[in-house]
Amino acid sequence: MAPDLKRKTGVIIGDDVYALFKHAQANNYAIPAINVTSSSTVVASLEAARDAKAPIILQMSQGGAAYFCGKGVANGDQSASIAGAVAGAQYIRSVAPAYGIPVVLHTDHCAKKLLPWLDGMLDEDEKYFKATGEPLFSSHMIDLSEESVDFNIDTTAKYLKRMAPMKQWLEMEIGITGGEEDGVNNEDVDNNSLYTQPEDIHRIFKTLSPISPFFSIAAGFGNVHGVYKPGNVRLQTGLLEKHQHYVKEKESTKDDKPVFLVFHGGSGSSKEEYKNAISYGVVKVNLDTDLQYAYLTGIRDYVLKNKDYLMDQVGNPDGADKPNKKFYDPRVWVREGEKTMSKRVSEGLKDFNTAGQV
């Protein structure tokens, strides 16, 4: 049975996001969160979700949002990242209904130094809310995992209080995700920092729940951004089960999965690791690194196959006067990247049991 959503297609917010995530927990699936940086990557993701009859999360990082605005725009005050995020959100809101599936519009990672970016987006959310009755974005992420636990939780609570009147979702991170992504490098952190303890999860739950039920936690269980050789990353998915049991016991909840959990650093993980994490209440799995490579492969293979038709505007193996426009038209070779990226998103939708859920 499909999730009971008030809005069946396009960008969903508030109660619908909550209902979708609860449906995911009840039916043992998670929703892929795809980092998008352009209209092309948005289209590739939406096509895969439409064809799989699945919900999807589209998210922009600070760097991805700046790219949406244009790499030639100065971004010292985060103005390019704010403008790019708003432009991307407006584009996604415009085209998403055409694909016939629910879409969660999200922003990814926001370290302490990037809080002005989040502040700027929330300003835009509040303007949009005043005009339409809902925020521009379904949700945002705040990532203060490199700060002290006290600062992390207190600051997250402050932001959730600002977002709560709009029924906007907030994702937070506790425990560091290793590796490197979007300019944040955690490749040399102590391994113990990669594993969040149940007591911290309970403290977050107890602090945030009175403010709003619309929050999720990206807990560290050995995850690492990027792709590494087998054996180099030791995921402890059983920790996620402990988090749920601990919160259930401490808060006497009827729900066996009271916490909405998020899986970061998922590229290169095994299907079994995904399956286990999802069974413990993970509702969102980030996919980025694998999709960047997938997008490249379509364009790479097209260029290699058609090299002799791409060396000049006129002249190819079929004749010195033959035009090559149909080969170098960006709509042709960019489309090849969309196809291979979309195929990889489809694999994620199957691996996470998301396919067929709507």
Side-chain angles (χ1 to χ4, degrees), residues 80-129:
S81 288
I82 294 167
V86 171
Q90 294 282 15
Y91 172 73
I92 291 168
R93 276 188 168 271
S94 295
V95 302
Y99 289 83
I101 43 96
V103 177
V104 177
L105 177 53
H106 182 64
T107 60
D108 190 25
H109 286 287
C110 183
K112 182 180 179 182
K113 64 182 180 181
L114 300 181
L115 287 177
W117 174 49
L118 179 55
D119 294 335
M121 290 189 292
L122 287 173
D123 289 342
E124 295 297 326
D125 281 315
E126 288 165 347
K127 291 178 188 176
Y128 197 86
F129 182 81

Side-chain angles (χ1 to χ4, degrees), residues 57-325:
I57 299 170
L58 300 182
Q59 62 187 23
M60 286 175 278
S61 67
Q62 178 263 354
Y67 189 84
F68 230 113
C69 183
K71 289 289 285 184
V73 180
N75 196 33
D77 59 354
Q78 300 300 322
S79 58
S81 288
I82 294 167
V86 171
Q90 294 282 15
Y91 172 73
I92 291 168
R93 276 188 168 271
S94 295
V95 302
Y99 289 83
I101 43 96
V103 177
V104 177
L105 177 53
H106 182 64
T107 60
D108 190 25
H109 286 287
C110 183
K112 182 180 179 182
K113 64 182 180 181
L114 300 181
L115 287 177
W117 174 49
L118 179 55
D119 294 335
M121 290 189 292
L122 287 173
D123 289 342
E124 295 297 326
D125 281 315
E126 288 165 347
K127 291 178 188 176
Y128 197 86
F129 182 81
K130 187 175 181 180
T132 68
E134 62 183 62
L136 178 60
F137 292 87
S138 311
S139 59
H140 293 293
M141 181 184 179
I142 184 170
D143 180 3
L144 302 175
S145 56
E146 293 185 308
E147 313 304 323
S148 70
V149 173
D150 287 347
F151 180 85
N152 186 350
I153 296 175
D154 291 346
T155 306
T156 297
K158 181 183 75 172
Y159 276 94
L160 188 60
K161 286 176 183 176
R162 180 177 178 182
M163 298 163 71
M166 298 183 285
K167 287 192 169 183
Q168 193 172 37
W169 198 274
L170 180 61
E171 176 186 335
M172 65 89 70
E173 182 163 349
I174 185 82
I176 293 173
T177 300
E180 189 277 335
E181 182 180 62
D182 212 34
V184 178
N185 194 320
N186 290 324
E187 292 178 315
D188 298 319
V189 299
D190 181 355
N191 278 346
N192 290 331
S193 300
L194 303 179
Y195 301 97
T196 306
Q197 298 306 307
E199 291 81 3
D200 288 332
I201 300 297
H202 176 237
R203 182 178 168 190
I204 294 164
F205 186 88
K206 194 171 183 179
T207 301
L208 300 185
S209 290
I211 302 170
S212 168
F214 300 139
F215 68 91
S216 51
I217 304 172
F221 55 101
N223 352 24
V224 175
H225 286 131
V227 177
Y228 296 83
K229 291 181 179 180
N232 285 8
V233 178
R234 294 180 176 84
L235 293 178
Q236 303 290 338
T237 55
L239 268 177
L240 303 178
E241 184 180 31
K242 290 182 180 179
H243 297 333
Q244 299 286 17
H245 287 169
Y246 192 85
V247 172
K248 176 181 169 66
E249 179 184 343
K250 291 293 183 179
E251 296 299 311
S252 300
T253 65
K254 295 180 180 179
D255 196 337
D256 289 334
K257 300 173 186 176
V259 185
F260 294 105
L261 295 170
V262 176
F263 190 154
H264 280 229
S267 294
S269 298
S270 70
K271 292 181 181 180
E272 189 65 23
E273 287 169 332
Y274 284 132
K275 183 179 178 181
N276 288 341
I278 291 167
S279 73
Y280 302 141
V282 163
V283 297
K284 172 179 178 279
V285 180
N286 284 13
L287 282 181
D288 185 22
T289 306
D290 286 356
L291 299 181
Q292 292 176 352
Y293 184 71
Y295 190 92
L296 165 69
T297 59
I299 297 173
R300 177 200 66 194
D301 293 349
Y302 175 84
V303 170
L304 292 175
K305 179 182 177 182
N306 296 286
K307 176 178 176 293
D308 293 337
Y309 296 84
L310 301 172
M311 303 309 292
D312 210 334
Q313 286 187 287
V314 178
N316 59 50
D318 299 330
D321 61 346
K322 296 293 184 181
N324 294 318
K325 186 179 186 307

Side-chain angles (χ1 to χ4, degrees), residues 29-32 34 45-57 287 342-357:
Y29 70 91
I31 305 156
I34 313 302
S45 306
L46 289 173
E47 282 190 4
R50 176 200 63 197
D51 294 347
K53 293 181 173 58
I56 196 82
I57 299 170
L287 282 181
S342 190
K343 182 179 179 181
R344 180 61 185 85
V345 173
S346 297
E347 292 176 12
L349 291 167
K350 292 176 183 176
D351 290 346
F352 308 155
N353 196 33
T354 331
Q357 294 292 349

